[in-house]
Amino acid sequence: MQGRGRWFHGRIRGCGYRLTLPRMKIVEVLNSSKGHLSAEEVFLKVHQIYPAVGLTTIYRTLEMLVASGIVGKINAGDGKARYEFKKTPEEDPHFHLICKKCGNIINVEANKELDKHINKVKEEYIKNYEFKVDNLQLRFYGLCKNCK
Amino acid sequence: MQGRGRWFHGRIRGCGYRLTLPRMKIVEVLNSSKGHLSAEEVFLKVHQIYPAVGLTTIYRTLEMLVASGIVGKINAGDGKARYEFKKTPEEDPHFHLICKKCGNIINVEANKELDKHINKVKEEYIKNYEFKVDNLQLRFYGLCKNCK
DNA sequence: TTGTTAATGACAATCGTTTTCAATAAGGAG
DNA sequence: CTCCTTATTGAAAACGATTGTCATTAACAA
Ligand SMILES: [Mn+2]
Ligand SMILES: [Mn+2]
Ligand SMILES: [Zn+2]
Ligand SMILES: [Zn+2]
């Protein structure tokens, strides 16, 4: 959990970025949080353990982490982007249930069967449209347990 | 193409909304446009055939049309919402290829097999998470023919 | 330790969208 | 058809998330 847990440090350096204090605090907060945080929410959490941080740095660092493949970014439709730490350096494909009422986002595991079929049409699209697919998102909009 | 082509008029009235001139112009533009238009783009097109229209009305009407199930709204991640006329009053499930570079959005038809499997996990999620699913989106991000 | 330069944070600016409010027009009642 | 109520409109201001600017700071290679 010491060296292995910090794979993202190497990744940051590897992408040519400097390993700064604000960046470590931000990635630490993301790592120890579950769920999908907005920039504002990340700012508030980081501010508690590192009050000197500025909101601008939060935005810049989050984009850097997305570019480095360390965090994922999703735009659920409520005007603000949300960020989520990736547990593994590899792709961690999972889908989302998004509540239209309260905005809550639930992670759901990717189903093997479904995954296979999605990949099949993916290959199809790549051929038919000459479209290079980097990543995909499957989301279900509706009402969560509490809101319906 | 006269009476049948205007199913949305009845839909608008049926939802308790008044059938106004700006609304008819807006829906007319959406109906005769292909692709996914931003509010700004809709405004520009409507402005050509009805210069008195205001951008505010575009936003309000688009939301109204989405609420009435006449147009679909998607948020591809570039900060601006995009709107698309529905060909049929029923659900018209199709997926999207979204170019990360130029922002182009390509419609792709839903595959029967895939559809079946998505519905299966959907039922699963509804049970396991007590989540009421209204609609779903499957999108593939990457680079389009021109951009790669 | 030092020098170069990327990264930082305060602040202003931008951009899509929403709110406000007085004027207008849809459309039901008579 | 005319009148009245009230939803709808457009201009302008307000808003909220994100990005740009710029002088100061701190990583880290040498
Ligand atoms: Mn997630
Ligand atoms: Mn579409
Ligand atoms: Zn909810
Ligand atoms: Zn492209």
Side-chain angles (χ1 to χ4, degrees), chain B:
Chain B
M1 207 53 171
Q2 285 304 350
R4 180 167 54 261
R6 300 283 183 271
W7 61 271
F8 41 85
H9 283 193
R11 175 74 69 98
I12 290 171
R13 300 302 316 281
C15 290
Y17 300 111
R18 291 183 181 175
L19 206 47
T20 70
L21 223 159
R23 282 175 182 169
M24 297 209 283
K25 297 298 182 183
I26 291 169
V27 84
E28 197 176 306
V29 159
L30 284 164
N31 186 25
S32 62
S33 302
K34 47 188 75 26
H36 310 76
L37 283 65
S38 67
E40 181 87 32
E41 288 168 339
V42 174
F43 172 69
L44 261 49
K45 290 203 175 203
V46 173
H47 188 266
Q48 297 193 354
I49 60 174
Y50 185 68
V53 76
L55 182 56
T56 314
T57 299
I58 303 289
Y59 276 105
R60 277 189 296 227
T61 301
L62 286 171
E63 281 315 303
M64 182 272 275
L65 292 171
V66 169
S68 308
I70 294 167
V71 320
K73 177 181 182 178
I74 73 170
N75 218 295
D78 65 334
K80 63 190 81 175
R82 297 187 168 274
Y83 302 86
E84 175 184 36
F85 192 82
K86 288 183 181 172
K87 286 88 204 157
T88 63
E90 298 85 45
E91 274 310 318
D92 161 34
H94 65 270
F95 310 137
H96 292 123
L97 308 182
I98 302 170
C99 180
K100 284 176 174 173
K101 181 107 173 288
C102 71
N104 188 26
I105 302 174
I106 303 166
N107 279 344
V108 291
E109 292 312 310
N111 169 303
K112 265 282 192 297
E113 271 300 290
L114 177 58
D115 232 40
K116 205 175 68 184
H117 283 269
I118 286 180
N119 266 58
K120 206 159 77 181
V121 300
K122 185 168 99 176
E123 298 305 324
E124 223 174 280
Y125 296 154
I126 291 173
K127 268 210 202 79
N128 294 349
Y129 299 92
E130 303 180 48
F131 190 96
K132 183 187 175 303
V133 176
D134 284 340
N135 60 315
L136 61 89
Q137 291 183 3
L138 174 60
R139 18 174 102 168
F140 299 84
Y141 286 92
L143 294 175
C144 78
K145 189 174 168 176
N146 299 328
C147 291
K148 68 177 182 189

Side-chain angles (χ1 to χ4, degrees), chain A residues 68-112:
Chain A
S68 309
I70 294 168
V71 320
K73 177 182 184 178
I74 72 170
N75 218 295
D78 65 336
K80 62 189 82 172
R82 297 186 169 277
Y83 303 86
E84 175 183 38
F85 193 81
K86 288 185 182 172
K87 288 89 204 157
T88 62
E90 298 84 45
E91 274 310 317
D92 161 34
H94 65 269
F95 310 137
H96 292 123
L97 309 182
I98 301 170
C99 180
K100 283 176 176 175
K101 181 106 172 292
C102 71
N104 187 25
I105 302 174
I106 302 167
N107 279 343
V108 291
E109 292 311 311
N111 170 303
K112 266 279 192 299

Side-chain angles (χ1 to χ4, degrees), chain A residues 4 11 19 22 31 39 45 61 75 95 101 116 120 144:
Chain A
R4 181 167 53 261
R11 176 74 69 98
L19 205 48
N31 186 26
K45 290 203 174 205
T61 301
N75 218 295
F95 310 137
K101 181 106 172 292
K116 205 175 67 185
K120 205 158 76 180
C144 77

